[in-house]
Amino acid sequence: MLSALDAEPQIAAAWIYQKNGAAFGSYARHESARRAPAVRPQDGFHWEGQHLLFVGPLSDKKSNQRVGTICLLANFSAMRQRFRLYAQVIGGVLIVSFLVAYSLSGPLQRIISKPILDLARTAQSISVHKDYSVRAQKVGEDEIGVFTDAFNLMLIQIEQQDQALR
């Protein structure tokens, strides 16, 4: 039964204890693996340095009575390596995303901000010089173009009212 643990690379060692607590069998992936604890540990999960120790009952299926205890010592080095790889991939994706966003933000900001800034400069010039004949230059047919048309129409109406008052 313990030799089947060769198929589970995260299991570093395993031990089986008899019902009376005496060691019955053992499995070690490497010769340097830990020796079995002299006293059967309590059931449950226990951290042993960088390993996780699981201690659980072995039961007879017919009588459903405890006939022994199994201890499995799991090594998480493969999982830690996988987490490091995931962290590196996530970090790389974040860096590439930041660089792409930063390189796109400059040109997009000029495309979006330039017409608005031109419109603001035109409005400031009109308010300083009181010259309602000045018109904002329409750049495109998007929302800013519609806004520029509305602004110019408002200037035409103000210019006509100003002329009518004179």
Side-chain angles (χ1 to χ4, degrees):
M1 182 171 108
L2 291 175
S3 65
L5 294 174
D6 278 335
E8 300 294 334
Q10 70 273 13
I11 302 297
W15 306 278
I16 294 179
Y17 292 91
Q18 296 176 9
K19 188 176 182 178
N20 63 6
F24 177 72
S26 66
Y27 163 82
R29 180 164 300 281
H30 303 291
E31 293 300 322
S32 62
R34 273 187 44 189
R35 294 192 178 273
V39 178
R40 180 183 71 83
Q42 295 293 320
D43 287 358
F45 293 93
H46 312 281
W47 284 104
E48 301 277 330
Q50 299 217 355
H51 293 81
L52 181 65
L53 179 67
F54 166 74
V55 182
L58 291 174
S59 301
D60 180 19
K61 286 187 178 184
K62 292 180 184 176
S63 65
N64 203 21
Q65 290 185 358
R66 185 178 193 139
V67 294
T69 301
I70 188 163
C71 297
L72 299 171
L73 187 67
N75 181 351
F76 288 102
S77 63
M79 187 168 53
R80 280 193 300 274
Q81 287 175 336
R82 201 170 316 131
F83 283 151
R84 266 190 235 112
L85 175 66
Y86 293 159
Q88 290 171 347
V89 167
I90 290 170
V93 167
L94 285 174
I95 289 171
V96 168
S97 299
F98 174 76
L99 291 174
V100 167
Y102 185 74
S103 65
L104 289 176
S105 66
L108 287 177
Q109 185 176 9
R110 280 189 292 279
I111 291 170
I112 294 169
S113 298
K114 186 179 181 314
I116 295 172
L117 292 173
D118 289 345
L119 192 59
R121 276 192 287 274
T122 302
Q124 186 177 16
S125 171
I126 293 169
S127 67
V128 169
H129 301 295
K130 307 289 189 231
D131 182 9
Y132 299 107
S133 64
V134 176
R135 299 292 180 259
Q137 183 180 4
K138 185 175 178 178
V139 178
E141 295 297 326
D142 55 359
E143 292 86 359
I144 297 173
V146 171
F147 184 61
T148 303
D149 285 342
F151 183 77
N152 286 335
L153 183 61
M154 180 182 68
L155 286 174
I156 291 170
Q157 291 174 351
I158 292 173
E159 184 180 22
Q160 288 172 353
Q161 289 175 353
D162 190 42
Q163 288 175 356
L165 286 174
R166 285 188 189 165

